Amino acid sequence: MNVLAISCHPDDMEIHCAGTLLKCKKRGDNVTVCHVANGNMGHVVIQPEELGKIRIGEAQESGKIAGFKVVTLNVGDLLVDSTSKEQHDSLVSVIRESKPDFIITHSPDDYMSDHVEVSKLVFKASFSASVPHYEPQLGEAVAVTPVFYMDNSNYIGCEPYEYVDITEEIDTKLEMLACHKSQVVWLKDHDGVDVLETTKTFARMRGIQCGAEYAEGYRRLMAGQRATTKRLLP
């Protein structure tokens, strides 16, 4: 299968769904990760132009550990806009190129506008990508794709319908997250937030809920043409 994870910032994938994607890779899936925003506002000392480049590089370093293809739309933080045709069409192109059997992305009720706008972009672009006469220069049309919503930030306001046991993948998930030094170090030194420990704790919580040591949870977009008769998550 082909799997596409579309996250907002370069470390969102590692925090919320890296374990699942690692399991997908293990079963032979092709995994593509797309970051819509470049994370250029995620620091106070490092200036946005420099930080955006750093964070894209950190995402590539993380992807190499897992063997994922990593792409970015390189949109500035706070500028993600689901009404932007440019951003929409860029995502249509990514979807058509990767031909996903399912997509993992943010839920439409996450904590900040960029995450919510990414969710809206995915909803719109994943349907547009299925219409043959819509901007055919962006690639060959694909089927309307099932979408899974990963947990919200800080796991607030979301109850999973499906779980993935990531016990064997937790160490690699954290190794990938540690690649995002500009965030991990800054948040620990400046805000007293240990992202690695927090991520491991939340994965343990989801594991307790489903009888695993560590897990990631998902809700599914329930809409016409999005359902299947088989389980897609690993």
Side-chain angles (χ1 to χ4, degrees):
M1 287 200 295
N2 297 322
V3 181
L4 175 61
I6 303 171
S7 65
C8 185
H9 303 104
D11 57 352
D12 289 329
M13 175 273 290
E14 288 83 355
I15 292 171
H16 295 295
C17 67
T20 298
L21 298 179
L22 285 163
K23 285 186 80 86
C24 288
K25 189 70 177 179
K26 284 182 180 179
R27 72 179 180 184
D29 295 351
N30 300 307
V31 178
T32 301
V33 177
C34 174
H35 306 292
V36 175
N38 58 23
N40 66 342
M41 296 288 182
H43 212 284
V44 175
V45 177
I46 304 174
Q47 295 303 300
E49 183 176 357
E50 179 185 1
L51 183 61
K53 296 176 183 178
I54 290 172
R55 297 200 66 186
I56 290 173
E58 291 170 342
Q60 291 290 340
E61 181 183 355
S62 169
K64 287 178 182 178
I65 291 174
F68 300 162
K69 179 180 179 180
V70 179
V71 298
T72 180
L73 300 191
N74 201 20
V75 177
D77 283 3
L78 305 181
L79 298 178
V80 181
D81 181 4
S82 60
T83 67
S84 164
K85 188 177 188 304
E86 179 181 2
Q87 294 179 29
H88 170 273
D89 286 358
S90 293
L91 197 55
V92 167
S93 180
V94 170
I95 293 169
R96 285 179 172 175
E97 182 177 352
S98 59
K99 297 177 174 57
D101 291 282
F102 67 93
I103 294 171
I104 296 175
T105 193
H106 297 283
S107 73
D109 58 355
D110 208 348
Y111 85 113
M112 65 170 298
S113 62
D114 276 351
H115 286 206
V116 171
E117 291 301 300
V118 166
S119 186
K120 292 178 180 178
L121 269 172
V122 171
F123 180 77
K124 294 169 66 176
S126 61
F127 189 86
S128 299
S130 74
V131 180
H133 292 301
Y134 180 77
E135 304 292 3
Q137 76 279 6
L138 297 177
E140 184 180 353
V142 297
V144 180
T145 310
V147 174
F148 292 91
Y149 296 129
M150 55 193 176
D151 273 316
N152 289 346
S153 299
N154 294 325
Y155 290 44
I156 294 174
C158 51
E159 288 298 329
Y161 306 152
E162 297 191 49
Y163 294 87
V164 176
D165 183 342
I166 63 161
T167 303
E168 295 182 359
E169 292 74 31
I170 187 66
D171 290 340
T172 306
K173 170 185 169 83
L174 296 175
E175 180 186 359
M176 293 169 65
L177 180 56
C179 291
H180 297 272
K181 298 180 182 67
S182 67
Q183 298 303 289
V184 173
V185 175
W186 168 257
L187 289 171
K188 191 169 185 178
D189 292 347
H190 185 261
D191 298 326
V193 176
D194 188 331
V195 179
L196 295 173
E197 182 62 31
T198 299
T199 299
K200 187 174 183 178
T201 298
F202 282 132
R204 177 68 185 123
M205 179 188 73
R206 289 296 186 224
I208 291 170
Q209 292 174 344
C210 66
E213 189 171 357
Y214 295 98
E216 291 169 342
Y218 297 91
R219 292 177 288 171
R220 187 163 183 171
L221 168 60
M222 300 303 294
Q225 303 183 50
R226 304 281 185 169
T228 64
T229 58
K230 64 180 180 179
R231 179 179 169 90
L232 297 172
L233 293 172

